């Protein structure tokens, strides 16, 4: 299977078994990219033009593949929205647009996961990509998270840039060994011989009565793995920017998407942009208290901020976005200004992102604090199915207002 993946990105017909030629692949890739503006073909093999595609690899199953396995040329009329003066997208559409732009830019980018192909993904992030790029670059997999996550890591080791979708983030617990022992550590354990430019993404968080197993917040599970970067999107703008940045990164990146934010709508620029994977976003400048949050809780915080402003408070709201590493520059400057910190998260209280953030702020900016850090987190209980009980386990805007009032006394 790995030998088949090594041929991804070529827009020519598949070669016969046992006759894969990396030079022909390189030439055909250049020809297919030559007509596209703004695309730079970059060789990442120590100055040579050898793509390290495994010349001796066997592709014995290549002749059995369906014809749609080879990507066809993109329709120029639908390939770009750059001619528009600005366009409004839902968050899941912004993710798709970022992914599509990167697949156009770099033939090494591919997608794999359950139902990501012709079904378009469980939340339609990959809708239409299989038709455009073919069944090899958008690969439907069996229900076997450990297998296809490991396969994606292996593909990244050979020079591809796979995006692995977990249909639900909770399912990726089945691939925890591959993510922790392989994805995060192989660059180190190989002595730097391999990089793992992989993106692992999918929906998570507390939804609308999805039950305990489908309401997982895995940020706290993955934050202790060495070598992994973690980011959480919260708007269509940063969803697209973080997706593109994660795909281009040489490090393994886990992109957390919240199941309740996919239908958020926002106008995003037509020109290309990316977001810094290690930079927080200043959502609302303020003077009285620093509120650190991310993902869905950003909107609970902003709802509470309206009430707080009416009561005479001036909160500064920061969407940390980068869950690992933290942007301590932006956070530190805010702490030095407000001297009070409130952390609002949907993650569990014990061992969550808030606990790590509290420790980091205390270690680096303790002298600037006029009050102890307050952290509002989800309760350490399985998320109930009953809607009324589900709400009680997650931080609500009224709790944020009360916490700020107490913190600013």
């Amino acid at each position: 299977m790995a030998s088949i993946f090594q041929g991804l990105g070529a827009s020519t017909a598949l070669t016969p078994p046992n006759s894969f030629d990396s030079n022909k692949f390189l030439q055909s890739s250049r020809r297919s990219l030559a007509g596209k503006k703004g695309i730079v073909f970059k060789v990442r093999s120590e100055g040579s033009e050898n793509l390290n595609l495994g010349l001796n690899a066997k592709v014995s199953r290549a002749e059995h593949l369906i014809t749609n396995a080879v990507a066809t040329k993109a329709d120029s009329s639908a390939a770009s929205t750059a001619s528009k003066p600005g366009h409004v997208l839902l968050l899941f559409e912004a993710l798709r647009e970022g992914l599509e732009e990167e697949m156009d830019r770099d033939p090494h980018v591919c997608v794999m996961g359950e139902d990501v192909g012709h079904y378009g993904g469980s939340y339609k992030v990959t809708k239409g990509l299989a038709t455009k790029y073919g069944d090899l670059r958008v690969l439907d997999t069996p229900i076997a998270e450990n297998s296809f996550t490991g396969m994606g890591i292996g593909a990244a080791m050979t020079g591809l840039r796979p995006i692995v979708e977990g249909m639900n983030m909770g399912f990726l617990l089945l691939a925890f060994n591959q993510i922790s022992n392989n994805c995060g550590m192989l660059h180190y354990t190989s002595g730097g011989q391999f990089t793992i430019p992989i993106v692992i993404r999918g929906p998570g968080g507390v939804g609308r009565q999805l039950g305990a197993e489908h309401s997982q917040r895995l940020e706290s599970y993955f934050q202790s793995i060495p070598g992994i970067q973690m980011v959480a999107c919260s708007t269509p703008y940063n969803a697209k920017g973080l997706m593109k940045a994660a795909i281009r990164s040489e490090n393994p990146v886990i992109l957390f998407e919240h199941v309740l934010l996919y239908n958020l709508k926002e106008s995003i620029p037509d020109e290309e942009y990316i977001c810094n994977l290690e930079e927080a976003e200043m959502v609302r400048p303020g003077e009285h208290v620093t509120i650190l949050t991310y993902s869905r809780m950003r909107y609970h915080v902003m709802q509470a901020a309206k009430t707080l402003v009416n009561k005479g408070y001036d909160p500064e709201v920061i969407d940390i976005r980068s869950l690992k590493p933290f942007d301590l520059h932006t956070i530190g400057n805010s702490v030095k200004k407000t001297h009070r910190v409130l952390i609002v998260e949907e993650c569990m209280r014990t061992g969550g992102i808030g606990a790590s953030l509290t420790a980091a702020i205390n270690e680096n900016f303790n002298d600037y604090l006029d009050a102890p850090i307050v952290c509002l987190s989800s309760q350490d209980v399985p998320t109930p199915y009953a809607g009324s009980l589900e709400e009680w386990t997650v931080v609500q805007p009224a709790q944020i207002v009360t916490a700020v009032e107490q913190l600013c006394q």
Side-chain angles (χ1 to χ4, degrees):
M1 195 66 183
S3 61
I4 296 176
F5 282 124
Q6 290 167 346
L8 294 185
S11 59
T12 57
L14 291 173
T15 57
N18 304 322
S19 63
F20 187 85
D21 188 337
S22 64
N23 291 323
K24 290 181 180 179
F25 172 84
L26 181 60
Q27 293 167 4
S28 64
S29 296
R30 282 174 169 170
R31 284 196 297 269
S32 65
L33 293 175
K36 297 183 179 180
K37 295 181 179 180
I39 294 178
V40 178
F41 192 90
K42 183 178 180 181
V43 178
R44 297 183 176 85
S45 55
E46 299 181 358
S48 70
E49 292 189 347
N50 187 350
L51 292 180
N52 192 24
L53 295 176
L55 299 181
N56 298 321
K58 294 182 179 180
V59 285
S60 58
R61 295 188 182 181
E63 68 273 20
H64 301 301
L65 295 174
I66 60 174
T67 55
N68 198 35
V70 181
T72 56
K73 187 175 180 180
D75 180 4
S76 59
S77 63
S80 174
T81 58
S83 60
K84 300 179 182 178
H87 55 294
V88 176
L89 293 178
L90 301 176
L91 190 143
F92 78 90
E93 293 172 329
L95 288 167
R96 183 199 303 150
E97 185 172 273
L99 177 53
E100 188 172 2
E101 287 179 6
E102 291 306 299
M103 293 185 76
D104 283 340
R105 188 186 71 90
D106 187 348
H108 296 84
V109 178
C110 56
V111 183
M112 59 186 71
E114 298 153 349
D115 287 336
V116 298
H118 295 282
Y119 183 71
S122 55
Y123 291 90
K124 303 306 177 186
V125 173
T126 56
K127 183 179 179 182
L129 298 186
T131 302
K132 180 176 181 180
Y133 298 105
D135 294 340
L136 277 183
R137 289 189 73 188
V138 186
L139 181 69
D140 273 324
T141 65
I143 303 174
E145 284 77 9
N146 57 344
S147 299
F148 67 73
T149 303
M151 182 171 64
I153 295 167
M157 293 172 66
T158 68
L160 299 181
R161 292 182 173 271
I163 297 94
V164 174
E165 176 180 313
M167 182 180 288
N168 182 283
M169 274 296 190
F171 302 161
L172 289 178
L173 289 175
L174 296 167
F176 195 86
N177 175 63
Q178 283 74 18
I179 295 172
S180 59
N181 283 329
N182 302 143
C183 186
M185 299 186 187
L186 268 171
H187 181 67
Y188 172 78
T189 56
S190 69
Q193 296 180 74
F194 295 109
T195 56
I196 317 295
I198 188 174
V199 179
I200 300 173
R201 53 154 296 270
V206 178
R208 289 283 185 267
Q209 295 184 264
L210 297 179
E213 293 182 0
H214 286 199
S215 301
Q216 294 274 36
R217 285 80 84 196
L218 298 190
E219 305 95 295
S220 60
Y221 290 68
F222 293 128
Q223 67 171 329
S224 61
I225 300 175
I228 296 277
Q229 282 189 271
M230 303 195 311
V231 291
C233 61
S234 55
T235 68
Y237 178 86
N238 66 39
K240 178 182 177 180
L242 291 173
M243 170 70 87
K244 291 171 70 70
I247 293 172
R248 297 185 189 188
S249 174
E250 296 297 327
N251 299 312
V253 180
I254 301 179
L255 173 59
F256 291 94
E257 304 156 14
H258 200 286
V259 67
L260 292 183
L261 300 184
Y262 280 125
N263 288 323
L264 283 177
K265 186 181 292 187
E266 184 182 18
S267 178
I268 65 175
D270 291 326
E271 61 271 12
E272 184 180 47
Y273 69 91
I274 62 172
C275 295
N276 193 324
L277 290 175
E278 300 178 8
E279 188 176 279
E281 177 187 349
M282 179 65 68
V283 180
R284 183 191 188 279
E287 298 289 338
H288 294 162
V289 58
T290 297
I291 305 181
L292 305 175
T293 188
Y294 65 94
S295 191
R296 176 196 176 193
M297 287 296 108
R298 167 177 175 154
Y299 298 95
H300 284 212
V301 168
M302 291 308 293
Q303 188 176 339
K306 295 179 182 178
T307 303
L308 290 168
V309 169
N310 291 335
K311 292 189 173 187
Y313 297 98
D314 187 19
E316 179 154 291
V317 179
I318 296 175
D319 184 343
I320 62 173
R321 289 199 312 201
S322 176
L323 308 184
K324 183 182 178 182
F326 297 131
D327 178 7
L328 292 180
H329 175 75
T330 300
I331 293 170
N333 286 338
S334 180
V335 172
K336 293 174 184 178
K337 178 173 63 174
T338 67
H339 309 293
R340 291 174 175 82
V341 177
L342 171 64
I343 301 170
V344 182
E345 62 175 346
E346 198 180 86
C347 201
M348 299 298 186
R349 182 170 184 81
T350 301
I353 295 296
S356 298
L357 194 52
T358 299
I361 294 171
N362 277 325
E363 288 173 2
N364 292 279
F365 310 109
N366 185 64
D367 289 346
Y368 297 95
L369 294 172
D370 289 343
I373 298 171
V374 176
C375 183
L376 299 179
S377 312
S378 293
Q379 297 183 36
D380 289 336
V381 297
T383 304
Y385 175 76
S388 57
L389 295 177
E390 183 182 66
E391 283 192 8
W392 278 98
T393 67
V394 178
V395 179
Q396 299 299 323
Q399 295 172 266
I400 300 171
V401 172
T402 301
V404 170
E405 290 176 333
Q406 294 175 350
L407 192 58
C408 293
Q409 284 180 351

